[in-house]
Structure formats: C-alpha cells, structure tokens
Amino acid sequence: MDLRTDLAILYQIIWGLILINTVVAFITVFRRPRSITSILAWMMTLVFLPGLGFILYAFCGRGIDRETVYLFSEQHQKRIREINEMIEKNNQYYPPKTYPYEADLLKQYFAGMDESPLTRGNHVEFFTDGEQKFSHLFEDIRKAKDNVHVEYYAFFNDEIGNAFLDLLVKKAREGVEVRLVFDPWGGRTNVRFFKPLQEAGGKVIPFITSRNLIRKTRLNYHLHRKIVVIDGEIGWTGGFNVGDQYVGTTEKFGYWRDTHARIVGTASFSLQEIFIRDWNASIKNKKDLLEYEESYFVLPTQDDNVDVPMHVVADGPESIEQVIEGGFIKTIVAAKERVWIQTPYLIPDDSMTSALQVALRSGVDVRIMIPCMPDHPFIYRATQYYANLFQKLGAKIYIYEGGFIHAKTLLADDAIASFGTTNQDIRSYELNFEVSTFAYDEKVNKELATLFEEDMKYSTLLTQEMIKQQSYWLKFKQNFSRLLSPIL
C-alpha cells in the first residue's frame, strides 16, 4: 500500500473513532435525567475531549449510585416522626404567631416536608469573624458533658485545624462521645490526620461519596455542610470551614468575612438529625450505626423572650428536587421591597435567574454582594459574567474589597433571613450536600441587614463604565466559564 492509501485508512479510522465517541457520549449523558444546561456542558466535554472527557465523567459526572440513595432514604425516615413530635410539643408552649405574607408563603412551601419542621423558641447568635467564631465554638465544646457531633466540608491540617482536633481528643479522653464526618476532598485531609482522636475513643469517618474509588467515588458531589451539635442542645452552622485561612491568617485571602450561627433551641434537633443521617449513610460497619438517643435531642429551657421561628433544610443530589433552591425562589418572587444576597459564587441556573428578573421587574431592591478576588479563578469568571448580567438588568452589585467574603445569606423584605452553607450556584443547588436555615424574625433579618450595610462600606458598586472597561480577553473567559457553569 502506498502512502495515500495509508492516510485514507487512517482518516477513516479517526472518523470512525469520533463517531463512536459521539454516540457513546449521547448514550452516557442521556442515561439519567438532568438539566438541559448540564446535558449540553457534558456533551461538549465528552465530544471535544475524546477519552479524557469520559475519565472526567467517570469521577465527576455520574449521579449518586442507587445504594447511596437507599441508605439516605432508609435512615432519613427512621425516627424523624418522633423528633417532629418533640418539636411540635415544644412549639405549643409559644402562642400562635401571625407571619408576614412573604414568610407565610415560604412556610407553606416547607410545610409538607417532614424533614424540615418549623421550630419555635430558638435563640440565634451570629459570628462574622473567624477568631470569634472558633473561640465561642471551642468554649461550647469544652463545656460538653455527653456528646459532640462534628461535620465539616474542609478540615485542614494547620494551626486552627490541629487546635480543633486537640480539643476533640481532650473531650474524648474525658469520656464525651465524639463523632466526626468529613469530606476528604474539601480540606485534603484523610483519616490518618484524625488518628489521635480515634485512639482517644472518638469515631471518625469520611463521607460516603469518597468511599470506594471505583464504584462510589463522586468527585463532583461534596459534603458541603458545616454542622456541630453539642449535648443535643447547641447547634452551629454557616459558612466557616476549619482552617487558618478562615481566621484571616493567610496572605492569599487576607481577612475572611463569613456568616456563621450559634443556635440554641429545637432547630438544633434538625441539625442533629442531618448529622445522624449522614453518619449512618457513610458507615461501613453496622456496629457503628447511630441510634436516636434521648441525649441527642434535649429540649431547651422555654423562654417567653426568645422565639425565632425557623426551618433548617437539608438538600443534596440524593433528592429528586432542589429543595433549598426552591426556598430561595419562593422567597425572591414573594418579596415586595428588597432581596439582598451575599455569596462567594454567583452562578445561578435559569430558574434562579428568572426569579431575580421577576423581582427586578417588580421594582424590588435587589442587591448582590460578591468577592473582589477568586479562590477558584475559573469559577470567578463565571461569577463576573452573572454580576455583569444582573447589573445590566438593574441589580446593585457590590464587590467586597475588605478581604474575601464567603457569607451565604439572603434577606427578603423585613420578614425572612436565610443563612447556611448554600452558595448561589448550580453546584450548591444540584451537586453538593448542603444545609440552610430560613428564619422568620424581624430582629434576625435586621441584624443581617445591618451587617450587609456595614459590608457595603468596604465594597465597590459595579457600574456600566466598569463593565465597558473589561478587556475582550476577560469577557471571553467570562463567557467560556459561564458555558461550563453547569458542571463547575
């Protein structure tokens, strides 16, 4: 055969492989229900990165396996009815309350979800500074007498991470039950880091999505929750992970501005139930199964002067619907006067984008605060794209320059305040295991609004002139990043 014949054969082989790759890509992407935007993004990845695209998909694109979904659903229903009865019994102590229109609509949305009961009589205290948050959290843990349950996305092997670990080791040696769930992909720590805690009698497990490299590992599905429950009475949740960068001691980010909450009341029961569910779904041995002990759910002292009604809502890829995002959308479209959002990542899906457009066209004061710097450059370009878009639609976009803002809050009028671990991006809506709290209290709303207004002093308002000055290369990166946003 001559060279021309060899090239013709090679040409046919290449086109044959491209055809096979494309057909297999279609079959792979359409095997399970997913959003159109996600389908298009994965099709581009599989078609334009032959071979490599399928390797990425194997670890990042597959859905949660059926066994994992079963573990969550089985444990999810086990004793939740009894917990809800305890919460309802506590609620009856407080007089009936009339809620503003917006809050009443959101309450109705969550009313049919047994896993997210309305809780009354809660006390909430916010922390925006890492040093203060860890100082108060550590003090609560030092006072623990029976149990400490810890669940974090990122747990770093650094000064604050080791200080946290040492405290847990101390409590375990005192006879306190210490259990910890972590995501190895978050802080890049593994079980060996927690060996001192295990040797002291504590129990430590990685979250289920990181178990079994070939069969179960899903690099795209993260345990993004941050939960600590102490003696069944005190709950902590919010944006802070465990590491030095979160107390502002690293040069890369400087001051770390976040929002974390200390909750005393039956809302901590919901946080405890979420922890138990995650623990029981992740264990390898049935002997480590957590039962719903009375010491995990301790009714608080009832106080007429303390009553923050709230829903604690968990969501993740094991669910067939985006519950937390649905709560955000319900809140936004019901708002009459204002919607204020703080988020480190602004990559909403079409539903959230439409909700914000509806609010803007209805004359609602929409303000969104984002960081001035990226912690993930590719993702930050997509955030910039949507910041530009919403600015053009009439939203006020504030770029926080006092450090790195990592808070995840949403305010609607004077009636609703949401805080927790959920970012305003597709990853948080669909891929991460998240937890967010929706509070119906004017004082809580006002406190977070005051914090927002204080942050505005350290922010720059994005203008049309600033957008026009952005280079063509920067805008190309923004558009390209936005194109792949469904799988970021």
Side-chain angles (χ1 to χ4, degrees):
M1 291 189 296
D2 57 18
L3 178 60
R4 182 176 298 176
T5 303
D6 291 341
L7 290 175
I9 294 173
L10 180 61
Y11 180 80
Q12 292 176 349
I13 291 173
I14 291 174
W15 274 107
L17 291 174
I18 291 175
L19 178 61
I20 292 171
N21 182 84
T22 303
V23 171
V24 175
F26 268 94
I27 295 172
T28 299
V29 170
F30 285 99
R31 281 181 62 193
R32 58 181 288 265
R34 61 178 84 223
S35 66
I36 295 298
T37 52
S38 180
I39 288 174
L40 293 175
W42 275 116
M43 279 300 301
M44 289 179 55
T45 303
L46 295 176
V47 170
F48 292 110
L49 296 175
L52 176 59
F54 283 96
I55 294 175
L56 292 173
Y57 184 87
F59 288 97
C60 300
R62 293 181 296 164
I64 295 293
D65 62 283
R66 292 181 181 179
E67 181 184 346
T68 300
V69 173
Y70 172 75
L71 287 171
F72 276 102
S73 61
E74 178 190 40
Q75 298 303 329
H76 180 65
Q77 299 298 329
K78 189 171 183 181
R79 295 278 296 279
I80 195 166
R81 182 172 297 177
E82 294 181 18
I83 298 171
N84 287 353
E85 288 176 356
M86 293 175 64
I87 291 173
E88 183 58 32
K89 182 180 179 181
N90 181 75
N91 289 352
Q92 290 174 3
Y93 172 82
Y94 298 92
K97 183 172 182 177
T98 301
Y99 295 89
Y101 170 77
E102 309 90 317
D104 205 45
L105 285 179
L106 187 59
K107 280 175 65 267
Q108 291 177 28
Y109 171 73
F110 290 128
M113 302 177 188
D114 290 338
E115 68 273 19
S116 306
L118 178 68
T119 63
R120 299 280 304 270
N122 297 291
H123 172 75
V124 182
E125 184 178 5
F126 290 107
F127 296 89
T128 62
D129 176 83
E131 288 189 5
Q132 293 180 1
K133 178 256 180 175
F134 284 107
S135 175
H136 284 77
L137 173 61
F138 287 1
E139 185 61 27
D140 280 344
I141 294 175
R142 289 189 189 98
K143 295 177 181 178
K145 292 179 171 53
D146 191 273
N147 55 82
V148 177
H149 293 161
V150 178
E151 182 172 345
Y152 273 100
Y153 166 59
F155 210 116
F156 288 91
N157 183 4
D158 54 21
E159 185 176 349
I160 195 69
N162 280 277
F164 202 151
L165 179 62
D166 290 345
L167 178 56
L168 295 177
V169 169
K170 181 176 182 295
K171 298 308 295 184
R173 287 174 178 165
E174 292 175 2
V176 172
E177 176 194 304
V178 178
R179 295 179 187 262
L180 185 146
V181 182
F182 72 103
D183 188 326
W185 309 114
R188 294 178 292 280
T189 51
N190 54 40
V191 176
R192 290 193 299 273
F193 171 73
F194 299 102
K195 188 176 180 180
L197 178 56
Q198 293 175 311
E199 291 174 343
K203 301 282 188 178
V204 180
I205 55 173
F207 191 59
I208 189 171
T209 52
S210 64
R211 229 173 61 197
N212 192 320
L213 183 62
I214 301 299
R215 190 163 63 89
K216 286 187 177 295
T217 295
R218 302 291 193 270
L219 299 183
N220 223 19
Y221 298 97
H222 294 302
L223 173 68
H224 199 241
R225 296 170 184 148
K226 295 92 176 170
I227 295 173
V228 179
V229 185
I230 301 162
D231 286 342
E233 296 180 281
I234 303 171
W236 287 79
T237 190
F240 283 106
N241 288 294
V242 182
D244 289 349
Q245 71 187 56
Y246 304 101
V247 293
T249 59
T250 59
E251 293 184 6
K252 180 179 179 180
F253 296 107
Y255 181 72
W256 190 276
R257 164 67 176 87
D258 219 321
T259 299
H260 217 91
R262 179 183 187 268
I263 303 170
V264 180
T266 52
S268 66
F269 288 14
S270 294
L271 292 173
Q272 186 77 285
E273 195 279 328
I274 295 165
F275 174 86
I276 293 174
R277 190 196 323 167
D278 291 344
W279 176 275
N280 287 344
S282 301
I283 59 172
K284 292 182 179 180
N285 300 316
K286 289 292 184 181
K287 64 181 180 65
D288 291 324
L289 192 73
L290 263 182
E291 298 294 342
Y292 285 60
E293 304 288 346
E294 289 185 6
S295 60
Y296 299 159
F297 303 94
V298 179
L299 286 170
T301 302
Q302 293 163 335
D303 186 346
D304 293 331
N305 297 316
V306 175
D307 181 21
V308 177
M310 61 173 61
H311 283 101
V312 177
V313 185
D315 199 7
E318 87 285 5
S319 174
I320 61 173
E321 60 179 311
Q322 285 77 56
V323 180
I324 292 177
E325 183 193 13
F328 290 152
I329 291 173
K330 191 75 172 177
T331 300
I332 291 168
V333 297
K336 298 177 180 178
E337 297 178 1
R338 69 175 178 184
V339 172
W340 293 3
I341 297 171
Q342 289 181 318
T343 179
Y345 314 118
L346 180 63
I347 313 176
D349 61 10
D350 291 343
S351 298
M352 181 63 73
T353 300
S354 296
L356 288 168
Q357 284 181 294
V358 168
L360 286 164
R361 289 172 180 170
S362 302
V364 174
D365 174 19
V366 176
R367 304 183 187 186
I368 304 173
M369 189 173 294
I370 61 173
C372 67
M373 67 181 83
D375 62 340
H376 303 289
F378 195 78
I379 297 175
Y380 189 68
R381 298 310 170 204
T383 293
Q384 287 181 314
Y385 171 89
Y386 282 101
N388 294 347
L389 172 65
F390 287 122
Q391 196 281 337
K392 293 174 183 177
L393 292 173
K396 297 176 182 177
I397 306 298
Y398 292 92
I399 303 172
Y400 182 77
E401 297 182 348
F404 185 82
I405 190 161
H406 193 248
K408 304 104 169 27
T409 63
L410 187 152
L411 306 177
D413 298 342
D414 297 325
I416 300 171
S418 178
F419 55 91
T421 71
T422 311
N423 299 307
Q424 295 299 337
D425 65 356
I426 297 172
R427 165 168 293 282
S428 281
Y429 303 154
E430 300 183 11
L431 303 177
N432 287 343
F433 292 83
E434 304 280 7
V435 59
S436 280
T437 297
F438 295 81
Y440 314 106
D441 185 82
E442 289 188 9
K443 291 182 180 179
V444 169
N445 180 290
K446 185 176 181 180
E447 184 173 355
L448 288 181
T450 300
L451 291 172
F452 192 106
E453 291 171 336
E454 184 66 23
D455 292 332
M456 286 169 52
K457 299 176 182 178
Y458 304 94
S459 302
T460 298
L461 182 64
L462 183 65
T463 63
Q464 276 291 317
E465 289 71 23
M466 293 168 62
I467 295 174
K468 289 178 182 178
Q469 291 175 4
Q470 294 174 356
S471 68
Y472 288 112
W473 173 238
L474 177 59
K475 290 182 179 179
F476 169 79
K477 289 189 290 184
Q478 292 171 358
N479 280 275
F480 184 73
S481 297
R482 178 251 180 174
L483 194 63
L484 296 180
S485 60
I487 61 174
L488 288 178

